[in-house]
Amino acid sequence: MSPGKELPREIRPISRILVANRGEIAVRVIRSCRELGIGTVAVCSEVDRHALHAELADVTVTIGPAEPGESYLRMDRILEVARETDADAIHPGYGFLAENAAFARACAEAGIIFIGPSAEVIEQMGEKTAARAIMEKAGVPVVPGALLPEPDADGRYPADEVLAVCEKVGYPVMVKAAFGGGGKGMRLVETPEEVVRACEGASREARGAFGNGTVYVEKFIETPRHVEFQIFGDSHGNQVHLFERECSIQRRHQKIIEETPSPALTPELRAQMGQAAVAAARAVSYQGAGTVEFLLGPGGDFYFLEMNTRLQVEHPVTELVTGTDLVRTQIRVAEGHPLPWKQEDLSTRGHAIECRIYAEDPANGFMPSLGEILLMNEPGGPGVRIDSGIRQGDEVSMYYDPMIAKLSLHGEDREAAIDRAVTALKDYAILGVTTNVEYLIAILQEAAFAEGRLHTGFLDEHMPDWESGRSVDGDLALAVAAVAEHDRRSSGSGSGPGNGSSPAVSASTPWRYLGRFRLAGLD
Amino acid sequence: MLLNFRCLDEMISVEVNREGEDWCLAIEGRDVPLQAFKEQGGSWLVDTHQGRRRLWVATRGDQRLVFCDGKVHVLDLPDPELADDDELESVGGGLFAAMPGKVVKVLVGKGDRVTSGQAVIILESMKMETELAAAVDGTVAAVHVEDGQLVGQGDALVDIEADPEDESE
């Protein structure tokens, strides 16, 4: 402690953290705790007793049956366990209770540090219209939109006023029901000529569907990208951003591949968006790790979408390019320490990509695939990071998110990171459940992906009817299956992987090749 | 050693012989020499024209699962001692759980007539519902599960006795 340095007034050292989550994120948090010399308490459901997170923690308490509502979402049980185990802080991870204002409030009332922003901020940002109003006031761009004037008794709109409103919003516009959803009462309008009729039609449809014909217009963003900024704040009034993540590769709003830097941002645009993200954080005096999501139009126009008041699934790519540890910083900030960086200290190096490995079948409607992981080989090497909560022999159960792992790659530039991702995926052997590994490789190998031409409709545009290319190496697979079966039977034990004859790799002198033969049945 | 794999309803016979690290395979009578080295952890190194490749193999019942270059190949290797058993025929119209899940609703009872394509049971896994349909026309011989029951992969759900083939057609 140097006497000249201003010491933070209120530091509450944390000695034990309860991790109110499961899977890879619980494992991730436990690792940072161990590095900081902080004790860990895991909570788990009955089916998770032998899950990795439950085995890694210093203390593990089973809090209920497998259904999340009876275990991982049980605030009362989790707080009870925290008290019983003398945990002075709770890390919620993402999902489950991470953005639950009532839980954050209950922690505060129990005198337990909730590692995240305040209950008030969680509440404000959770309510989308309130969040939009706060951001607009703070000067953060939001998707331009306006309510339309009332139609007359016959449902006819005053053309001049409607045209003036739409002109201000800017074409193309989307006419939307103010009290609806699900595509009803929605019209896409490209030119002023169609707009009055579209408003009248949307209003009629909205009245029929929702009992209220009020409509509004919003600027329609064509082929937008999803670009989000990592933000961080402390209790000393500091707020910074840690650059962007592009998450445009998504299916039904489920992100699949994320990367940073975004291939779409110029240094000027990055600075502009970063400033907006920090303004958003300042507007609510944000503390802890958060994310400001933007829609980015093809013309470089960007709009606030929402703020996520938690650690994001895809945080590893930010850690890789900025050289930071976001979970460690979350804990330090929660203790009352100031942020370890000022904005000008932060920079990025190279390019990082995250691929989410899911237990699902992309060739079969993305059906979840459940069962035991019979075999798992995690790739390795420089620039390869794996965040996983599942091991060989573990069960992928029906109760939880089917994400098996996050594979994050760091390379000197985007091309190197993509090459690294494809190579690592080709070594990511998972047998027993069907995964999206082959699908991920196909996305990474799309020409449009290599060129960085991404948008949120990318998968629909480029891979609408993707099918597995199982036949390509069917011949080789058959040959090795036969060889392995011979080995299995002659070793007598019928044993699983890892047993049997010793590897004799070095004895490979006479090179002989398996020719490329094709079997009709495999085509 | 003769192995009969089934790939997409087609049987492929593979004769395998080993001399040290050299393997002699005859696939449907065609000779294929192969060098393959077993590693720890269920993987094999194989030399091909494109260079050395690593493949992983796992066993699940009659299935052999092979991972190669990001793709998974599923090959059936029916146990010769069980093959040609009439038992396979008698459960031909039965329904099994393709994955672990929960029975939402059983739509038929014992003795009910069902037609091919008729929904028989609704299963839920990971919040997704799937309707399982009868594959044949016939009669429900047995119902093994009830509403709300949890089932494991491969569990028998409903047995359907297929109608005898109509000779008059």
Side-chain angles (χ1 to χ4, degrees):
Chain A
M1 281 191 231
S2 56
K5 210 167 154 189
E6 194 189 329
L7 282 172
R9 276 170 295 129
E10 212 182 308
I11 301 286
R12 269 180 80 184
I14 294 171
S15 58
R16 188 172 292 154
I17 292 178
L18 182 150
V19 184
N21 215 302
R22 65 180 301 283
E24 66 87 16
I25 193 61
V27 172
R28 164 77 185 86
V29 172
I30 291 169
R31 283 201 183 112
S32 275
C33 291
R34 292 177 61 190
E35 289 164 10
L36 284 163
I38 293 174
T40 50
V41 179
V43 290
C44 70
S45 68
E46 282 158 13
V47 294
D48 273 347
R49 276 203 181 106
H50 300 288
L52 184 58
H53 83 278
E55 293 190 345
L56 279 183
D58 299 326
V59 180
T60 298
V61 180
T62 307
I63 52 169
E67 286 84 0
E70 295 182 48
S71 47
Y72 295 105
L73 290 171
R74 281 281 301 271
M75 304 185 210
D76 54 335
R77 275 296 286 140
I78 290 168
L79 282 168
E80 203 178 297
V81 170
R83 277 189 294 266
E84 283 164 8
T85 57
D86 281 329
D88 39 17
I90 294 183
H91 195 302
Y94 54 72
F96 294 130
L97 298 169
E99 288 173 287
N100 187 317
F103 184 63
R105 195 163 286 133
C107 288
E109 280 162 10
I112 293 167
I113 297 171
F114 175 81
I115 301 180
S118 68
E120 290 68 40
V121 171
I122 295 175
E123 221 153 47
Q124 285 173 335
M125 293 301 111
E127 206 190 302
K128 302 304 161 202
T129 47
R132 185 185 152 110
I134 291 169
M135 292 311 152
E136 218 172 348
K137 208 173 144 211
V140 180
V142 297
V143 178
L147 272 179
L148 286 182
E150 290 288 313
D152 65 18
D154 298 330
R156 295 164 68 93
Y157 277 89
D160 289 355
E161 287 181 51
V162 169
L163 284 171
V165 167
C166 294
E167 201 61 47
K168 207 166 147 229
V169 166
Y171 292 95
V173 299
M174 186 66 93
V175 183
K176 285 180 168 177
F179 299 91
K184 286 213 179 68
M186 265 170 73
R187 295 278 194 289
L188 175 63
V189 183
E190 312 262 2
T191 61
E193 288 75 51
E194 320 156 39
V195 80
V196 173
R197 242 185 47 217
C199 290
E200 288 170 358
S203 180
R204 262 197 314 276
E205 208 172 285
R207 191 172 302 119
F210 314 112
N212 185 318
T214 311
V215 295
Y216 69 101
V217 291
E218 199 177 83
K219 187 177 172 64
F220 177 69
I221 321 290
E222 282 170 284
T223 59
R225 290 167 181 259
H226 174 120
V227 175
E228 60 185 32
F229 273 70
Q230 175 70 50
I231 54 158
F232 230 114
D234 63 20
S235 54
H236 304 267
N238 303 306
Q239 273 93 23
V240 299
H241 73 82
L242 290 95
F243 309 98
E244 79 278 10
R245 294 182 288 258
E246 168 145 14
C247 316
S248 299
I249 304 297
Q250 39 182 271
R251 193 189 141 261
R252 292 194 196 162
H253 302 290
Q254 174 82 268
K255 296 165 186 169
I256 298 176
I257 295 176
E258 301 98 335
E259 62 180 301
T260 183
S262 161
L265 297 200
T266 59
E268 294 73 34
L269 185 53
R270 179 170 298 114
Q272 229 182 321
M273 292 178 79
Q275 266 170 25
V278 171
R282 292 230 163 94
V284 291
S285 306
Y286 199 86
Q287 293 184 29
T291 293
V292 181
E293 295 189 338
F294 294 107
L295 275 185
L296 174 64
D301 45 326
F302 64 91
Y303 311 95
F304 173 81
L305 203 56
E306 62 179 54
M307 187 192 273
N308 298 311
T309 54
R310 54 170 155 86
L311 188 70
Q312 208 84 331
V313 175
E314 58 272 22
H315 76 275
V317 290
T318 297
E319 294 184 325
L320 288 172
V321 297
T322 57
T324 57
D325 183 332
L326 299 186
V327 175
R328 187 184 176 96
T329 306
Q330 276 190 304
I331 296 169
R332 302 287 287 164
V333 162
E335 288 181 318
H337 292 282
L339 286 177
W341 347 272
K342 302 225 173 313
Q343 189 65 61
E344 58 268 27
D345 299 334
L346 292 161
S347 59
T348 69
R349 188 181 181 124
H351 198 99
I353 295 181
E354 175 185 276
C355 302
R356 299 195 191 184
I357 316 279
Y358 284 105
E360 63 182 19
D361 188 354
N364 187 14
F366 294 86
M367 275 272 280
S369 173
L370 310 175
E372 189 193 337
I373 309 269
L374 298 170
L375 181 148
M376 173 141 77
N377 176 71
E378 292 182 344
V384 179
R385 166 175 169 175
I386 289 168
D387 290 83
S388 171
I390 291 186
R391 297 158 295 182
Q392 182 169 309
D394 287 351
E395 194 89 17
V396 178
S397 98
M398 60 180 279
Y399 299 103
Y400 309 113
D401 188 280
M403 192 173 79
I404 295 177
K406 305 184 304 202
L407 171 67
S408 308
L409 301 310
H410 190 207
E412 261 188 80
D413 54 27
R414 189 167 188 268
E415 193 186 348
I418 294 174
D419 290 346
R420 190 157 274 169
V422 170
T423 308
L425 284 166
K426 286 183 173 180
D427 270 347
Y428 212 142
I430 299 170
L431 295 174
V433 297
T434 306
T435 75
N436 64 339
V437 164
E438 188 186 354
Y439 182 67
L440 287 166
I441 294 171
I443 297 170
L444 294 168
Q445 290 180 333
E446 273 292 314
F449 188 89
E451 291 157 17
R453 291 189 284 113
L454 314 181
H455 62 94
T456 54
F458 183 95
L459 296 178
D460 286 335
E461 183 188 337
H462 295 284
M463 343 229 346
D465 301 303
W466 180 81
E467 279 183 22
S468 162
R470 246 154 230 181
S471 60
V472 177
D473 288 301
D475 42 8
L476 186 59
L478 181 73
V480 173
V483 163
E485 186 63 16
H486 184 286
D487 179 76
R488 199 176 79 96
R489 291 189 190 175
S490 34
S491 68
S493 57
S495 56
N499 297 321
S501 69
S502 61
V505 184
S506 56
S508 59
T509 20
W511 291 71
R512 211 178 281 170
Y513 297 107
L514 173 72
R516 290 202 50 86
F517 51 91
R518 183 62 62 87
L519 297 162
L522 289 164
D523 279 346
Chain B
M1 183 179 289
L2 181 69
L3 301 168
N4 289 305
F5 287 93
R6 189 168 52 208
C7 314
L8 304 171
D9 291 336
E10 191 166 343
M11 298 302 295
I12 299 171
S13 72
V14 183
E15 173 73 39
V16 193
N17 289 299
R18 174 180 200 166
E19 277 173 46
E21 301 304 339
D22 290 330
W23 295 85
C24 274
L25 282 79
I27 300 182
E28 288 292 295
R30 274 176 300 136
D31 286 337
V32 181
L34 179 72
Q35 273 213 313
F37 316 102
K38 190 182 179 187
E39 298 182 296
Q40 299 286 341
S43 60
W44 289 80
L45 291 171
V46 181
D47 291 327
T48 73
H49 279 306
Q50 283 114 28
R52 181 161 282 195
R53 308 275 281 274
R54 176 179 273 142
L55 294 88
W56 286 263
V57 187
T59 299
R60 179 170 65 194
D62 280 354
Q63 285 182 335
R64 298 298 173 267
L65 310 170
V66 185
F67 181 93
C68 176
D69 264 352
K71 298 180 181 71
V72 176
H73 307 261
V74 180
L75 305 162
D76 282 322
L77 184 61
D79 193 321
E81 287 171 24
L82 293 179
D84 303 323
D85 198 321
D86 285 344
E87 213 181 322
L88 283 173
E89 290 298 311
S90 66
V91 296
L95 288 176
F96 298 85
M99 59 169 79
K102 190 163 111 182
V103 176
V104 176
K105 199 158 182 47
V106 182
L107 304 169
V108 295
K110 189 177 173 185
D112 284 2
R113 292 275 313 142
V114 291
T115 53
S116 175
Q118 180 184 339
V120 168
I121 206 161
I122 302 173
L123 274 187
E124 184 199 278
S125 269
M126 284 175 174
K127 314 277 171 252
M128 277 184 54
E129 288 193 3
T130 321
E131 275 189 12
L132 300 186
V136 293
D137 294 346
T139 309
V140 177
V143 176
H144 301 289
V145 292
E146 53 190 44
D147 294 357
Q149 187 178 331
L150 296 176
V151 292
Q153 185 167 5
D155 285 0
L157 305 172
V158 173
D159 291 347
I160 297 169
E161 197 169 304
D163 290 343
E165 298 252 340
D166 195 338
E167 304 289 338
S168 65
E169 270 188 358

